[in-house]
Amino acid sequence: MGRTTMRFAFSEEQEMLHDMIHAALQREAGLDKVRCWVEGENLLPFDEFVARNAWAGIGVGEEVGGQGGGLIEQTLMFEVLGRSVAPSGSLLAGAGVLGFASRIPDGVEQLHGLLEGKATVALCVNAGRPADQGASQVQVSGECLSGIVPMVLEAPGASQLLVPIPADDGLELWLLPADAPGVEIRSRRLIDRTRRFGDVHLQDVQARHLGRLPRDAAREVNAVMALLIAAESLGAARRMLDMTVEYVGQRVQFGVVVGSFQAVKHAAAEILVELEAAHSGIYYAAWALQEGQEDGVQQAWIAKAFATDAAVRTADRALMLHGAIGYTWEHDLQLFYKRVKLNQELLGSARTYRERLADALQLH
Amino acid sequence: MDFRDSRVDALFRDEVRTWLEREVPVLGQAPDRLEERVEWWRPWQRRLHDAGYAGLAWPREYGGRGASVLQQAIFYEECDRAGAPDRLDVISAGFAGPTLIEHGTSTQKNRFLDRILTGEDLWCQLFSEPGAGSDLASLTTRAVRDGGGWRIHGQKVWTSAAQVAEYAILLARTGEGERHRGISFFILPMRQSGVEVRPLRQMLGGAEFNEVFLDGAYVPDELLVGPLGGGWKVAMSTLGYERAAIATGRVNTLRLLKELIALVKNTKDPDGRALGQDAFIRQKVAELYGRMTLQRITGKRILSTLAEGGAPGPEASTAKLFITPLVEDICDFALSVIGIEGQEEPNDADPARARWLRLAYQARGTSIAGGTTFIQRNILAERVLGMKRD
Ligand SMILES: Cc1cc2nc3c(=O)[nH]c(=O)nc-3n(C[C@H](O)[C@H](O)[C@H](O)COP(=O)(O)OP(=O)(O)OC[C@H]3O[C@@H](n4cnc5c(N)ncnc54)[C@H](O)[C@@H]3O)c2cc1C
């Protein structure tokens, strides 16, 4: 308040939040642990850690039971989560669920326990498409839902499912317990094993109607999720860059560290150019969405398209710069490599968002 | 310039096509695990051999057919067209065999070449070490004199297919001298004490490359290739064959494009429209198709130079740098058409999808193996364009 100039830097509180999350992850969810969870295909220890810290409430107003802060804080958290390839799928699903619920009257109150980490609610949509398209293959008859929703993020392990069903110019929101009669969840294994996916089969499942969300509100929630994915990819990419700079600074070939070759330096520098652009776009979009600026949704699309692609280019450059060692299972690079590949497709690829942007630009 | 087959070559092409059309369709799908794939592949290689198609361009005296390099190329083209199995003998028949033909003794040729062509013996390449990757000449594995032979001590790494290999081509130091002096080129029998193969898991999970620990493994004198201490020159010709093998089509890009087109045809966008009507998709497929044809024509150009007895020109050195990103781009694009389900762990439910994923990762490996992209660029700039070393 009272500022007269624009400011991009984070506030002191935001810096502290960043450091707090970073330190907690280093302590409780280091790469050795992530590896162990991945190999054992059990992400519950991380879910429990997140629940203890109530991280689902970061960026959610205290008046509805959250920890306060806004989208900038939440975005920061996701960037830090990306840096650690933390199994953050349930936080991402939770952000979508909360986004939907908070835009209908008493929506958040109806999701008991989500903010405190006592319940996990999956957003029952195909995770490879924008969430605002809803679960289009699900039919409603009275209060019963039937249909199949493939590739639902964090469906295995969720205690409830929030099913948004397309209706004219918006989404109808339905809630059901994941163990209700008629619900079957079939797990699918992706190569990024830090995330759980499942196909949700519904057959005459009794559900509770929560309310109706207008199209624009649904788009805004989707933009928030897209932004969080972008931030996560940025975090993962920054970590890959750090790993690479460190490695080429010690790997000796031809009697010198390979980091002294210009080709190697240029490749690293090119990564940096892209990641700084991604950083600008992501935090601008966070601010714009948080403050209800007109261009918020569009900037989130741009951030998603650019940052998730840039992170994949980073991954390939990082792999090349590591040589064969980076191509092994034992090297941590593969964890980040697979995560950013998945993030590229999650919620729809860059092509989807560029298409939306082109529509908005009214090219014809 | 004439791109048509000569009369003889056209007859040869017909013969090969008829043979492949009869033999290939009954083969079925290759298993994923390398060890099982080898067992599956061997009878096929045997049939190729018995039909006279193994080592087409090798001299008759070493079990080849003495045909021209062009006929060899025609054969591979027809294999691509017919969807014949991927070759598992790229290291043995593609780099080790030609190296022996060029530098080996007649005893070595008689002993090893035929068994390479029948597929009985697969080979691996023991060049890279933990400390010697791009800078291969800094290798430290030592060969120590022992009676009529040598004892090998050292460690190799990233050795593809060591677990299924009977023999290896090996670089080790036999003498003092700076860097590439004092290095000798050996044939190492892999099944002996003193050779320990430990599989290394690759990033996608499979274990196709290995660490190889050499602790007193024995090589008799008659398995030295080229002059003692003169192994570097021999190794350079092996690396040349390796590059040529990668460039002229270890991966069948024509088949990939056909599969990509089929994938696009069978896919609808979320609004239910045929994907093949989407302007972006059309542009992208056309771009990849175009690059595929250029890569294949370049391959022919390399072969026609060789057929006329010339040394490979600059096009041969550029070919690896052209094909590697092409394969990456084709696979990445196919995976993007498939969408999030393309990121699913390879499984039996959808082998086509699993293949795109595997190949996408494999292509990243190829851009590192046989000299990284950066090293290839250095070679082009320095040896082809004559620019100064830094
Ligand atoms: C899938 C796979 C299979 C393989 N199979 C075999 C095999 O069967 N047998 C075998 O012997 N080896 C094999 N290799 C090893 C391969 O030959 C080496 O990985 C390769 O030569 C690079 O060495 P390096 O991994 O040690 O990387 P490094 O040499 O350590 O390179 C690290 C980075 O530095 C860069 N760099 C190094 N020097 C320069 C320079 N002068 N200028 C610019 N940049 C430079 C490289 O491009 C790379 O980006 C295989 C590798 C892979 C990935």
Side-chain angles (χ1 to χ4, degrees), chain B residues 269-306:
Chain B
D269 72 11
D271 304 326
R273 282 190 325 155
L275 206 59
Q277 289 177 348
D278 182 301
F280 173 79
I281 300 283
R282 294 164 64 83
Q283 286 284 319
K284 197 69 204 175
V285 173
E287 183 225 293
L288 293 169
Y289 189 90
R291 283 164 66 193
M292 177 275 291
T293 64
L294 301 183
Q295 176 256 320
R296 294 179 68 84
I297 299 167
T298 306
K300 283 194 187 167
R301 188 173 148 206
I302 296 171
L303 290 164
S304 90
T305 315
L306 294 176

Side-chain angles (χ1 to χ4, degrees), chain A residues 39 126-129 151 188-191 193 197 251 253-254 263-264 267 316 319-321 323-330 334 337-338 341-342 345-346 351, chain B residues 130-135 158 179 201-205 209 270 278 280-281 332 336 339-341 343-346 353 357 361-362 364-365 367-368 372-374:
Chain A
E39 307 246 353
N126 181 336
R129 308 253 173 88
M151 283 287 177
R188 304 213 17 195
R189 294 172 77 201
L190 270 67
I191 51 167
R193 294 199 202 159
F197 286 85
R251 169 72 172 165
Q253 290 288 276
F254 303 100
V264 171
D316 270 321
L319 177 55
M320 171 58 64
L321 292 179
I325 191 112
Y327 196 69
T328 60
W329 181 269
E330 264 57 51
Q334 57 107 344
Y337 191 97
K338 293 169 183 173
K341 283 271 182 189
L342 176 60
E345 295 296 336
L346 207 54
R351 193 158 69 84
Chain B
S134 298
D135 183 13
W158 321 127
R179 294 179 52 80
R201 267 175 103 187
Q202 296 181 332
M203 65 191 297
L204 204 51
F209 60 21
D278 182 301
F280 173 79
I281 300 283
D332 288 355
S336 80
I340 196 165
E341 300 187 325
Q343 297 301 312
E344 202 164 6
E345 204 145 278
R353 199 187 277 167
L357 188 77
Y361 276 78
Q362 209 180 71
R364 269 69 193 189
S367 71
I368 296 168
T372 69
T373 297
F374 290 2

